[in-house]
Amino acid sequence: MMRHLHLAALGSFIVAAPLFAQNAATAPRAIAMPDTMGANFNVADTLTGTSRPRDCDFLVGTWRFTFQARRQDGSFTPAFTGHWVFTRKQTGGQGVLLEDHWRPDDPSSTWDSGTWTYRAYNPERKLWEMQGINTNVGAWQPGLMWTAGGSRLLTEWYGPMLVRFRYFAIQPDQFLWRADATYDRGKTWIRDYWTMEAHRVSR
């Protein structure tokens, strides 16, 4: 079956990810989730949510992930693997900056291809502010991230599409990630539009 590059919005960025053609047969769900409720939070929580400077430290290091997307009709695309590298920058004071690089495993592309995201802690707002940039698309996606119990929640705009994310089941060497998308400003959501499972490679 022929493969091609399909632009898939993901996480805090838009990525060019190798997927099978859109007319491919429906793939089984590849990543086990504890329920089917999706990220499942009110995006207005950005007005009250807070976080701390070290709440994203668990991400620092190199991760191997399995990612799967969902079509608008609810069927799943084939899963693929990749690597996600997070580096914490020492900025002094209360400022914290994380740089991360997300890329699908693709021997035909350079290592630097994929998506680069910059996450900065804003001590006045007590929130993480984010911007992601895809090397193939060149469009910025603004986002906000905060803490809710053991989860990290995130909202981000991709043009007219709003996406909400939940990082959860966080352990030292693995975590789960799920995202819902809306095309009508939150009236309806496609739950688990993207799902991902990450396992640590190194610190």
Side-chain angles (χ1 to χ4, degrees):
M1 182 178 295
M2 296 293 290
R3 298 185 68 156
H4 70 107
L5 285 180
H6 173 68
L7 294 182
L10 174 62
S12 58
F13 28 71
I14 294 179
V15 296
L19 298 179
F20 286 94
Q22 289 300 295
N23 60 0
T26 298
R29 186 163 189 156
I31 302 167
M33 292 287 162
D35 53 53
T36 58
M37 296 300 293
N40 195 30
F41 65 88
N42 188 337
V43 295
D45 289 350
T46 54
L47 300 174
T48 58
T50 61
S51 194
R52 295 170 297 181
R54 304 198 72 91
D55 281 357
C56 290
D57 280 5
F58 76 95
L59 291 167
V60 174
T62 300
W63 302 83
R64 179 172 175 81
F65 65 78
T66 300
F67 169 81
Q68 188 172 37
R70 195 173 201 170
R71 303 182 182 94
Q72 291 192 46
D73 66 6
S75 62
F76 289 95
T77 64
F80 62 85
T81 61
H83 286 79
W84 204 358
V85 180
F86 288 80
T87 304
R88 191 178 196 270
K89 307 296 185 180
Q90 300 299 326
T91 61
Q94 297 184 67
V96 182
L97 175 67
L98 287 183
E99 177 187 76
D100 70 80
H101 177 209
W102 188 100
R103 74 179 299 279
D105 292 331
D106 183 357
S108 68
S109 68
T110 66
W111 170 255
D112 288 332
S113 67
T115 296
W116 294 85
T117 302
Y118 300 89
R119 308 165 190 248
Y121 182 72
N122 184 326
E124 291 187 6
R125 300 182 67 183
K126 293 183 171 56
L127 288 173
W128 286 82
E129 300 191 24
M130 305 168 55
Q131 289 278 5
I133 189 73
N134 173 258
T135 59
N136 297 303
V137 178
W140 291 98
Q141 296 85 42
L144 294 173
M145 189 173 187
W146 66 99
T147 300
S151 297
R152 306 296 183 267
L153 307 182
L154 189 157
T155 60
E156 192 154 18
W157 285 97
Y158 301 85
M161 181 178 69
L162 176 63
V163 183
R164 62 185 184 187
F165 306 89
R166 181 183 293 271
Y167 296 66
F168 67 107
I170 297 169
Q171 301 179 40
D173 295 324
Q174 64 184 31
F175 64 89
L176 293 173
W177 176 103
R178 67 201 311 175
D180 306 334
T182 178
Y183 291 88
D184 55 15
R185 303 183 70 85
K187 294 179 181 177
T188 58
W189 291 90
I190 304 171
R191 297 183 186 276
D192 285 349
Y193 198 49
W194 305 299
T195 53
M196 185 162 52
E197 182 177 22
H199 293 268
R200 185 179 294 280
V201 174
S202 63
R203 297 187 183 279

